[in-house]
Amino acid sequence: MSISINAAFDSGNIDLTMIEGDRVDLTIRADHLSEFYQWFHFRVAGAKGRTLTFRILNAGNAAYAFGWPGYRTRVSTDRAHWRLAPTDYADGVLSFTHSFDSDVAWFAYFAPYSMERHQDLIARMAAMPGVQHRELGTTLDGQAIDCLTLGTGPKQVWLYARQHPGESMAEWWMEGALEKLTDPSDVQARALRDKATFHIVPNMNPDGSRRGHLRTNAAGVNLNREWHAPTPERSPEVLCVRNAMDETGVDFAMDVHGDEAIPANFLAGFEGIPSWTDAQGEKYYAYGRALAANTPLFQTERGYEKAKPGRANLSMSTNQLAERFGAVAMTLEMPFKDHDPSPDPEYGWSPDRCKALAHACLDTLAGFVDGL
Ligand code: ZN
C-alpha cells in the first residue's frame, strides 16, 4: 500500500513535496492573497505499522517562525483526542515522527475546530432557552457571521473569537463559554445572565477557518487591523460586528486568540489609547489579577509589551473598543505550546483546557461585572 497525504477538507492545509522511504516532505500553503502561513492540517493514510518522519520544509519562513522552538505537533486517530507528537525544529525545518498503529491519522498545528463543528455549536446553542441567534452579516465567501445573545442584565458584554482563523483554540474557548453560560444549574452563570447581556460571536473569520488560513480572510486581510475603518470589500466581518456593537454599546469585551511563541495564557490590554485613564486601565488589570487568583491556568508575569502613552494601534479591536466605548476590553491569548505553569505532557494546551479557562474567565467576570 502506498502512503497518501490529503488536506482537501474543511480547514485542511498542506502540500506534498516528496515521499522518500519513511520520510515525507511537506510545505504549508500561504493564506490566499497573503504571505502569512503557519497553520497546517492534513491526514495520512496507508502507513499502518510504519514510523514516518514528516518534515515541513518551509517552516523557517512561516509568520512566527520564532514560535517553532518548543512547539509540538498534534496528532489524532479519532479526531477527538489530539496528542503531542515528538517534534523538532532545526535549520528552518519542522520535523515530527509518528508510529502508525491505525490505517489513518490526522496532524494539525492545534486541535482543529471545523466550520462543520461551528454549525453544530450554533444549532445546539440557538436551541437553548433564553438564547437568541442572529446573523450579523455575511463574509466574502458568503458564510454567515453568527451572533448568540443571552442574558437580561444592563451591562453589555461582547465575547468574540477567531479573527485569526488558525488560532482554533479560540473557538474551543467559545464552546466552553457558551456551555457554561447556558447551564441552568451554574450559579455564577445565572448571576451573569441577570447582570449582563452577552453578545457572542464564536467565529469572526469563517472563510479563513474553512480555507485553512493562519491569519486572514478570503481577501488576505488581517481582520484585527481593520477595526478603525472596516469596509464591505475588505472586512465585512468586522464591519457587521462593529455596527452591532454600536447599537448596544460595550462595557466589557474579550477578543480570544492564540499565540505562537509564549508558553502561557495571558491578556493584552489597551494601554496607549488616546482617552486612557488609570481608572479604566485599573479595571482591566484588576480583572487579570482576579483571574490569576482564580485558576492555575492563568498568569500575569508573561505577555506582550505594553504600548507607550498615545501609541495604541486603533485598528486592533481591543484598542478600538476601549477608545470607542470606554469599554474594559482585552485580548486573551492562549498558547500553541502549553501553559508552562501547569503543563500537560500528553496533550499540551488542549480543547478541554481551553474550555476550563473559559469557565474561569466567566467565574471571574461574575465577581467583577457590578463594577464595570
Ligand atoms: Zn491572533
Side-chain angles (χ1 to χ4, degrees):
M1 192 156 46
S2 63
I3 297 164
S4 73
I5 310 292
N6 194 305
F9 48 80
D10 187 328
S11 77
N13 183 330
I14 208 70
D15 282 328
L16 174 64
T17 302
M18 186 172 66
I19 301 176
E20 196 173 278
D22 291 331
R23 201 184 75 208
V24 180
D25 285 351
L26 306 162
T27 55
I28 304 174
R29 291 195 307 267
D31 292 6
H32 182 59
L33 300 175
S34 163
E35 292 183 345
F36 287 116
Y37 66 85
Q38 194 138 351
W39 170 261
F40 58 90
H41 182 197
F42 61 93
R43 51 177 259 175
V44 179
K48 190 171 185 177
R50 295 176 65 178
T51 297
L52 300 183
T53 297
F54 300 89
R55 303 198 310 169
I56 295 184
L57 301 179
N58 64 344
N61 289 320
Y64 305 94
F66 53 86
W68 294 127
Y71 163 78
R72 280 170 292 171
T73 296
R74 270 54 167 193
V75 56
S76 177
T77 53
D78 60 7
R79 302 208 315 136
H81 303 88
W82 294 84
R83 289 183 166 78
L84 301 173
T87 304
D88 274 310
Y89 179 70
D91 302 323
V93 174
L94 186 80
S95 56
F96 42 94
T97 56
H98 182 65
S99 296
F100 286 77
D101 54 12
S102 60
D103 289 324
V104 58
W106 285 258
F107 297 83
Y109 188 29
F110 191 84
Y113 199 104
S114 72
M115 285 310 297
E116 288 301 314
R117 190 179 181 103
H118 170 84
Q119 301 289 345
D120 292 344
L121 177 68
I122 294 301
R124 180 156 60 105
M125 293 302 157
M128 292 287 195
V131 177
Q132 287 96 46
H133 167 263
R134 61 187 168 139
E135 293 184 3
L136 299 180
T138 50
T139 67
L140 297 170
D141 283 346
Q143 297 192 80
I145 298 293
D146 290 310
C147 181
L148 297 160
T149 302
L150 69 164
T152 54
K155 303 294 184 186
Q156 302 297 319
V157 175
W158 278 83
L159 309 175
Y160 54 104
R162 237 177 153 188
Q163 294 199 74
H164 298 146
E167 296 160 12
S168 53
M169 57 284 278
E171 199 159 1
W172 289 111
W173 186 98
M174 277 294 180
E175 189 174 302
L178 284 161
E179 286 170 351
K180 181 177 176 73
L181 284 169
T182 55
D183 180 349
S185 65
D186 189 301
V187 175
Q188 301 285 34
R190 207 160 55 221
L192 281 169
R193 292 197 306 268
D194 287 343
K195 292 173 177 179
T197 301
F198 283 81
H199 310 275
I200 299 177
V201 181
N203 190 324
M204 286 285 302
N205 196 339
D207 293 354
S209 301
R210 197 162 67 185
R211 285 167 174 259
H213 282 190
L214 175 71
R215 200 158 167 83
T216 69
N217 70 359
V221 170
N222 176 356
L223 295 179
N224 203 25
R225 297 296 182 276
E226 293 285 305
W227 285 74
H228 60 309
T231 68
E233 294 76 24
R234 283 173 56 83
S235 46
E237 302 91 343
V238 174
L239 183 60
C240 71
V241 172
R242 204 189 68 173
N243 285 345
M245 290 173 168
D246 281 346
E247 284 174 20
T248 64
V250 182
D251 296 305
F252 181 94
M254 189 177 281
D255 179 19
V256 189
H257 285 253
D259 181 84
E260 285 77 4
I262 296 177
N265 293 301
F266 60 96
L267 289 171
F270 48 89
E271 292 88 354
I273 63 169
S275 67
W276 170 272
T277 65
D278 288 344
Q280 186 185 358
E282 176 51 27
K283 288 182 185 176
Y284 156 66
Y285 295 126
Y287 180 82
R289 288 195 302 269
L291 181 58
N294 262 356
T295 174
L297 299 179
F298 187 77
Q299 56 80 52
T300 54
E301 282 85 46
R302 308 184 72 165
Y304 296 145
E305 254 184 63
K306 296 170 188 169
K308 302 259 183 313
R311 301 297 298 274
N313 182 346
L314 294 175
S315 71
M316 297 170 71
S317 69
T318 296
N319 293 329
Q320 179 63 223
L321 300 186
E323 179 69 19
R324 194 181 190 89
F325 301 107
V328 178
M330 60 197 74
T331 306
L332 174 66
E333 298 279 357
M334 291 176 283
F336 281 91
K337 294 176 178 173
D338 201 348
H339 183 64
D340 277 3
S342 55
D344 180 335
E346 187 174 6
Y347 292 99
W349 188 246
S350 64
D352 282 350
R353 296 206 294 161
C354 293
K355 291 185 175 194
L357 179 62
H359 295 179
C361 287
L362 290 170
D363 283 334
T364 303
L365 184 60
F368 191 82
V369 68
D370 285 331
L372 287 172

